[in-house]
């Protein structure tokens, strides 16, 4: 069984703040908290170093040959925007599919229908044990740590155990940082 969960905490999307419906208490975002422990990627410095590499250097990524620092930054922004758009699409397609109890058949729109079908097939191929109840986009929070976040999928396996799922839509999953940070 799939359910949409409306709990005591909601996400205010513009400021990306989690707020308790009754008390107005604000919670820190798990995502923002995690960002405090990562070394920040020095975008401009790295783009400058890449642009300063000789184009005939075999170590230079061919994608950046002939590009200025500004062009590299623009390219990265384009990649970031495209990835965010694709990731949002994947999340929404799976969420819709689950909330419609697997009875969602995207229209034959050449741009989005085929992609949604591909996303749904990929979800089905995962053979997720959906337990006794599935909650897509489930907001979870901790009073103790004053933190909240949204799990892409919460699955109640039984009355005591649950699993959490998080969709990743990277073209390539990196297990290390190639920039040495």
């Amino acid at each position: 069984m799939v359910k949409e969960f409306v709990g005591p905490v909601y996400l205010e999307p513009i400021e990306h703040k989690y707020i308790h419906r009754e008390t107005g208490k604000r919670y820190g975002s798990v995502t923002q908290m995690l960002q405090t422990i990562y070394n920040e990627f020095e975008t401009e410095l790295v783009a400058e170093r890449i642009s300063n590499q000789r184009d005939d250097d075999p170590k230079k990524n061919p994608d950046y040959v002939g590009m200025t620092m500004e062009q590299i930054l623009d390219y990265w922004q384009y990649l970031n925007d495209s990835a965010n758009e694709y990731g949002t699409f994947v999340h929404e397609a799976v969420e819709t599919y689950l909330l419609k109890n697997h009875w969602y058949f995207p229209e034959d729109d050449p741009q989005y229908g085929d992609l949604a079908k591909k996303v749904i097939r990929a979800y089905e191929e995962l053979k997720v044990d959906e337990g006794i109840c599935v909650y897509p986009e489930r907001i979870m929070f901790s009073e103790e740590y004053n933190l909240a976040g949204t799990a892409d999928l919460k699955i109640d396996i039984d009355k005591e155990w649950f699993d959490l799922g998080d969709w990743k839509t990277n073209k390539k999953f990196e297990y290390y940082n190639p920039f040495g940070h």
Side-chain angles (χ1 to χ4, degrees):
M1 172 186 348
V2 179
K3 290 185 180 178
E4 187 169 7
F5 183 79
V6 179
V9 174
Y10 71 94
L11 174 63
E12 190 288 310
I14 295 171
E15 293 183 31
H16 196 85
K17 299 288 181 188
Y18 290 92
I19 304 169
H20 197 284
R21 292 179 198 284
E22 294 176 13
T23 65
K25 178 179 178 179
R26 292 175 172 262
Y27 296 83
S29 163
V30 171
T31 301
Q32 290 170 346
M33 187 274 303
L34 289 173
Q35 289 172 344
T36 66
I37 61 173
Y38 287 110
N39 290 331
E40 188 170 333
F41 180 72
E42 297 177 33
T43 310
E44 291 188 13
L45 177 64
V46 173
E48 180 180 24
R49 288 181 178 170
I50 291 170
S51 70
N52 288 335
Q53 284 180 308
R54 292 189 3 232
D55 284 344
D56 61 352
D57 183 339
K59 292 181 184 177
K60 186 169 187 173
N61 183 324
D63 291 346
Y64 305 125
V65 170
M67 293 176 78
T68 65
M69 176 183 146
E70 291 76 19
Q71 289 170 321
I72 292 170
L73 292 171
D74 288 346
Y75 176 62
W76 287 349
Q77 187 62 54
Y78 164 77
L79 291 176
N80 185 57
D81 293 347
S82 298
N84 287 335
E85 184 179 320
Y86 177 72
T88 298
F89 180 85
V90 168
H91 278 73
E92 289 174 357
V94 174
E95 181 179 6
T96 300
Y97 177 68
L98 291 172
L99 288 175
K100 292 189 178 209
N101 291 309
H102 301 235
W103 286 92
Y104 169 59
F105 304 101
E107 295 179 23
D108 288 329
D109 174 339
Q111 184 176 5
Y112 297 108
D114 290 341
L115 180 56
K117 289 174 187 173
K118 182 179 172 184
V119 167
I120 290 166
R121 275 194 303 275
Y123 172 79
E124 289 174 337
E125 287 172 8
L126 291 172
K127 299 187 184 328
V128 173
D129 176 357
E130 294 183 350
I132 59 173
C133 196
V134 175
Y135 301 95
E137 297 298 312
R138 171 70 188 267
I139 292 176
M140 306 176 80
F141 67 101
S142 167
E143 289 290 345
E144 180 180 357
Y145 297 106
N146 196 39
L147 286 173
T150 304
D152 293 336
L153 194 65
K154 179 182 181 262
I155 303 169
D156 289 337
I157 300 301
D158 55 35
K159 292 183 179 198
E160 186 176 340
W161 297 94
F162 64 90
D163 283 337
L164 297 176
D166 188 55
W167 311 132
K168 295 298 175 210
T169 57
N170 302 34
K171 288 186 281 184
K172 180 178 170 187
F173 194 79
E174 297 286 354
Y175 290 94
Y176 68 95
N177 181 343
F179 300 103
H181 290 284

